[in-house]
Amino acid sequence: MSKEKPKIYPPEFRESSVKLAIESDQSIAQTAKELGINPNTLHTWISKYSKPS
């Protein structure tokens, strides 16, 4: 069994993905699919990057 290395996404991509997911009318799952990332990953990023300042 070969394990795949987890993908490392740049912070700019993460932040823009969160912004897109929050501002879009589509579901987070659909946004994640269009971005080519796992929906759970996007949920994690939203929790991390969308905290009120």
Side-chain angles (χ1 to χ4, degrees), residues 1-52:
M1 236 189 256
S2 68
K3 290 187 177 181
E4 284 188 37
K5 225 177 163 182
K7 290 184 182 179
I8 305 297
Y9 297 98
E12 297 83 10
F13 177 76
R14 295 177 186 207
E15 291 173 17
S16 64
S17 299
V18 168
K19 185 175 180 181
L20 180 64
I22 291 171
E23 294 177 355
S24 175
D25 290 335
Q26 37 187 31
S27 68
I28 291 172
Q30 182 62 37
T31 303
K33 183 178 179 183
E34 290 180 4
L35 293 169
I37 59 176
N38 186 302
N40 292 332
T41 301
L42 185 52
H43 279 285
T44 301
W45 293 351
I46 290 169
S47 296
K48 184 176 179 180
Y49 290 102
S50 66
K51 292 179 182 173

